[in-house]
Amino acid sequence: MSRIFSGVQPTGDLHLGNYLGAIRNWVRLQDDYECLFCVVDMHAITVWQEPDELRASTREVAAALLASGIDPRRNIVFNQSQVPGHAELAWIFNCVARMGWLNRMTQFKEKAGKNRENASIGLFAYPCLMAADILLYKATHVPVGEDQKQHLELTRDIAQKFNNDFKKELFPVVEPLIFGAATRVMSLRDGSKKMSKSDPSDLSRITMTDDADTIAKKIRKAKSDPDALPDSPDGFKGRPEAANLMGIYAALSDSDIKEVCERFGGEQFSTFKQHLADLAVDKLSPIQDEMRRLMGDPGYVDGMLNEGAVRAQEMAEPILKEVRETIGFLRK
Ligand code: TYM
């Protein structure tokens, strides 16, 4: 049986990278797989979060998932902290993973920066919690953007080491699902940097709560170069901004980058940006309207998350039992 797990952190506003790299793909996969989609609030607290903002963001991200087209009846949609098994299995994986493996994680190095001594232990052990999220349900496939690839390799290493140590094929070796024209959306201000929630410049990203004028302004101000757009992807060499904006257009219009080059090759950035802004507003505004409607009904969102947590808990419990038994913990 194929089962999907994926997650998103409730830290600040979701951006176009989260949507095109992950959430939109989840919507497409829900017809073919049994899926669990999780708002990972326990991952969020690996760096400081204001409690009221964390609560609001958790609801907002859940609303964004539904507004994007994820059906909470067909799939399990929940927030991580409501299912205690994530923390329990993460501890076990802390004892399986090796310091050397975690030391190699580029995301930790980026996030901890120069001040490594002052980073939380949670930030260091973050990938063990991520492995626990996935393996708590024996998920086999994980749709993510490209930046999560290394974490998924670690998940595979943890599953394999656990299985080897206990001489039992308990955990599946998960497959990443990284697809679409925008697996790595770049900053609008610098085509060599990933679009990210933590970029200090608000102009670097389009968020799921930006209104039409803001989206148009951010695209108009996006970094470009003086040349006309290339008519084939071969022309992207040394032109990361052109590659990024045309990639975003391809993803939003459900075409591929080659077609976008054929259509806009030879045009100036200014003309293309106008088309891109119209397309982005057209695709995002129905999602934003629905998000606003759902945010006006927090009782509904909370109820949906609670129900999701009950279903997730039921799925996790027999797997946790098997894990406890395998390790040698006494039965309750
Ligand atoms: P997070 O919250 O940073 O991002 C959520 C999803 O969005 C994708 N993404 C991007 N895709 C393309 N271009 C970008 N610029 C971009 N930025 C973000 C991410 O790849 C991700 O798929 N550690 C994870 C959350 C997590 C998780 C899990 C994911 C926790 N447990 C288990 C999968 C399975 C994270 O921080 O995602």
Side-chain angles (χ1 to χ4, degrees):
M1 231 306 268
S2 296
R3 182 176 286 167
I4 277 185
F5 183 98
S6 201
V8 55
Q9 293 197 60
T11 45
D13 290 330
L14 289 182
H15 55 67
L16 199 59
N18 299 128
Y19 178 63
L20 294 177
I23 297 167
R24 200 178 64 150
N25 288 349
W26 303 355
V27 175
R28 292 172 179 189
L29 291 162
Q30 65 182 338
D31 296 328
D32 301 323
Y33 290 87
E34 179 180 32
C35 301
L36 296 105
F37 298 120
C38 186
V39 184
V40 291
D41 47 3
M42 287 160 61
H43 277 103
I45 62 162
T46 55
V47 297
W48 172 250
Q49 303 296 329
E50 288 298 333
D52 286 337
E53 282 172 27
L54 180 62
R55 247 184 301 274
S57 278
T58 302
R59 292 190 176 113
E60 187 177 288
V61 168
L65 299 187
L66 303 195
S68 302
I70 287 171
D71 178 352
R73 284 170 308 240
R74 263 192 294 161
N75 308 287
I76 299 182
V77 181
F78 69 110
N79 63 306
Q80 192 183 28
S81 62
Q82 291 196 4
V83 181
H86 290 257
E88 183 179 342
L89 191 58
W91 177 258
I92 293 167
F93 288 167
N94 283 346
C95 304
V96 174
R98 307 287 95 183
M99 292 286 285
W101 300 359
L102 292 168
N103 269 328
R104 285 194 285 276
M105 295 294 113
T106 51
Q107 197 147 315
F108 173 73
K109 289 183 202 157
E110 276 163 27
K111 285 199 178 169
K114 289 199 188 80
N115 205 359
R116 240 177 117 134
E117 291 292 305
N118 203 30
S120 71
I121 292 175
L123 191 66
F124 186 68
Y126 180 113
C128 293
L129 177 58
M130 187 161 156
D133 297 339
I134 300 164
L135 297 173
L136 183 59
Y137 306 98
K138 295 194 180 178
T140 52
H141 294 78
V142 186
V144 284
E146 204 160 295
D147 61 335
Q148 295 301 314
K149 215 168 153 181
Q150 196 186 30
H151 286 157
L152 293 183
E153 274 156 23
L154 191 95
T155 301
R156 291 162 67 99
D157 290 343
I158 288 176
Q160 272 164 339
K161 182 165 183 341
F162 186 102
N163 291 349
N164 280 341
D165 287 351
F166 295 100
K167 299 184 180 47
K168 194 171 183 181
E169 287 305 300
L170 201 150
F171 290 119
V173 177
V174 300
E175 290 295 333
L177 295 177
I178 300 174
F179 63 94
T183 55
R184 189 175 177 82
V185 177
M186 308 307 276
S187 156
L188 299 181
R189 304 299 295 163
D190 177 351
S192 67
K193 270 180 22 195
K194 188 181 75 169
M195 184 177 285
S196 122
K197 292 174 191 165
S198 54
D199 193 312
S201 166
D202 202 36
L203 288 173
S204 69
R205 61 188 161 261
I206 291 173
T207 75
M208 299 299 283
T209 49
D210 283 340
D211 60 25
D213 288 345
T214 311
I215 293 175
K217 182 181 88 186
K218 287 180 176 175
I219 293 178
R220 214 171 36 245
K221 294 199 167 200
K223 190 173 171 204
S224 54
D225 60 49
D227 295 334
L229 293 168
D231 57 11
S232 112
D234 298 339
F236 286 142
K237 273 184 211 95
R239 304 186 68 189
E241 284 81 20
N244 188 38
L245 294 180
M246 292 177 100
I248 293 174
Y249 191 100
L252 283 171
S253 63
D254 258 326
S255 49
D256 65 32
I257 192 91
K258 209 164 148 266
E259 282 173 62
V260 177
C261 288
E262 279 160 14
R263 175 162 169 211
F264 292 103
E267 299 267 14
Q268 293 304 314
F269 266 96
S270 51
T271 321
F272 172 70
K273 281 178 171 179
Q274 187 57 52
H275 286 281
L276 180 59
D278 291 346
L279 178 66
V281 169
D282 196 47
K283 295 287 174 180
L284 296 182
S285 57
I287 300 176
Q288 296 172 327
D289 292 345
E290 179 61 4
M291 256 176 92
R292 261 191 299 277
R293 194 188 68 76
L294 288 165
M295 290 305 288
D297 191 356
Y300 171 76
V301 175
D302 287 9
M304 182 277 298
L305 288 173
N306 287 335
E307 210 176 287
V310 170
R311 290 166 62 203
Q313 176 77 36
E314 270 167 22
M315 194 181 277
E317 204 41 52
I319 298 171
L320 268 178
K321 264 205 187 113
E322 203 185 348
V323 173
R324 294 185 195 118
E325 180 88 24
T326 302
I327 293 180
F329 291 165
L330 295 183
R331 277 210 200 141
K332 270 196 245 172

